[in-house]
Amino acid sequence: MTESDVSAELNELRRLADAGSADATDELIQLAAEQGNIDELRRLSDGGNATATDQLIELATEQDDMDELRRLAARGNITAAEQLEELTAE
């Protein structure tokens, strides 16, 4: 699959997800997580998707992205706060 194909697939999944397709949203989250696409996960998380938030926390933790974990913790996410605490304790 070329980069253009991936981009087209992402755009179509976004369109379907934004139109309310739960399956497209799930697939978009999975694809974004596999690609390490923190921006897409952030967009979905900020839109209120709990699964995207969980994946965002997991990815941010793997990447030692303290800024993202701080941002989520500041918004009241306890899991992000716990991960941030664990990472800063090391």
Side-chain angles (χ1 to χ4, degrees):
M1 190 177 273
T2 69
E3 189 173 324
S4 177
D5 292 338
V6 171
S7 181
E9 182 181 1
L10 274 174
N11 287 336
E12 180 63 10
L13 285 173
R14 278 187 202 110
R15 185 186 72 72
L16 292 169
D18 290 347
S21 170
D23 289 339
T25 301
D26 291 344
E27 195 170 331
L28 184 57
I29 291 167
Q30 181 180 352
L31 186 60
E34 287 171 2
Q35 294 178 340
N37 188 338
I38 211 159
D39 292 331
E40 189 66 40
L41 290 172
R42 184 183 303 121
R43 183 184 79 81
L44 293 164
S45 172
D46 288 352
N49 187 292
T51 304
T53 301
D54 292 343
Q55 289 296 315
L56 180 58
I57 291 168
E58 186 176 319
L59 187 58
T61 300
E62 289 172 6
Q63 296 179 355
D64 290 333
D65 188 340
M66 304 298 200
D67 291 338
E68 187 62 33
L69 291 171
R70 281 187 196 97
R71 186 184 79 82
L72 291 166
R75 296 178 71 187
N77 188 291
I78 293 170
T79 305
E82 290 170 348
Q83 290 298 320
L84 186 60
E85 186 177 321
E86 280 184 34
L87 288 173
T88 56
E90 293 177 357

